[in-house]
Amino acid sequence: MNAIKKIAIVGIGGVGGFIGAKLLLSSNALPVQVTFFARNDTYKNIREKGLIFESGGKMDMVHPHHLYNRSKGVYDVVIIATKSYSLELATKAYGDIMDKQTLVVPLQNMVNAAELVRGVAPEANVLDACIYLISNLIKPGHVKHLGGPGKIITSIPEGSNHKWFYEYMNQAGIPVEGRADALHQIWKKYLFISTLGTITAAHDLSFGEVINDPKMTQIWIQLMEELALLAQSEGFALGAADIDHFLGFIRDFPEASKSSFQLDIDNGSKGEKEFLVDFVIQRSLERGLEPITYIDLDNLINRRLGIGG
């Protein structure tokens, strides 16, 4: 690869900030420019001071090659790392930075992110994708990586023009794997992120408080069982082995870790409730399933938000 390749990251929160910082801190020799697209205080703070990135007890200040708050140019790869509720608006706002040669990687906590992006940017090569990561936005322009390998799983791109991207990401310490069963993997990750986000937000618990309290662990298992049934109804075989995997996987994170959804609820915001909780309840009911635990915890979340009676 001789020509300079261009990667754009749309949304510099916990996920986008993690990816951007890892790329910029890498000693990668491949000729790649990394551009951040951010708005409001995030744009202002990064422009003035750079992005503050904490990981493994170390703090770094990184500066993207370019920083914009509006569309500019067309990119080889666009990583969309906004919150789920901002995905459609962000895709419309930055649609002109993508063309038919652009590889688009949406990394939202939802199972149909790529489908939504394809509806807005039909010419782009949009991948089904997910990332395993706990990384929180401390404040605009300040991101803290708490755990998770940052591994990205994608569907397999059309053609062979994007091998450099996978090579570049892996060299930067962000494992990326193209898989034929990417949608199954997205549902599997959703099994973890939706259920853990729901129980931590409903009961205001850290990861450690969930896993070290047998009663809370059982409630979490019930949530995973309900979501596994929904996945099965959608054609994705999730079950007991996946639940056992995540009961062990959570121990890789610091016990004090909190989900980003929980932090939103703590701040009085619905956050990604529509995509992590409401979607599961609505789709389950449509499928003739009974998501009783989800409904119970949804009521607790609503109570924390002052919604309803």
Side-chain angles (χ1 to χ4, degrees), residues 206-282:
S206 68
F207 292 5
E209 289 170 327
V210 171
I211 202 65
N212 292 323
D213 183 333
K215 180 181 178 181
M216 290 298 114
T217 301
Q218 184 56 40
I219 292 173
W220 185 31
I221 291 171
Q222 289 168 199
L223 286 171
M224 288 194 280
E225 289 173 342
E226 290 176 2
L227 186 45
L229 288 175
L230 174 60
Q232 292 167 22
S233 76
E234 299 278 349
F236 301 97
L238 300 181
D242 302 294
I243 292 172
D244 287 342
H245 168 75
F246 287 126
L247 289 172
F249 182 68
I250 193 176
R251 298 189 183 278
D252 292 339
F253 297 90
E255 290 194 353
S257 298
K258 293 187 173 185
S259 66
S260 60
F261 178 46
Q262 176 184 5
L263 294 175
D264 286 335
I265 299 299
D266 289 347
N267 291 325
S269 167
K270 289 183 179 181
E272 295 184 306
K273 181 176 179 294
E274 176 185 351
F275 304 94
L276 294 176
V277 184
D278 300 350
F279 171 84
V280 177
I281 294 172
Q282 179 180 345

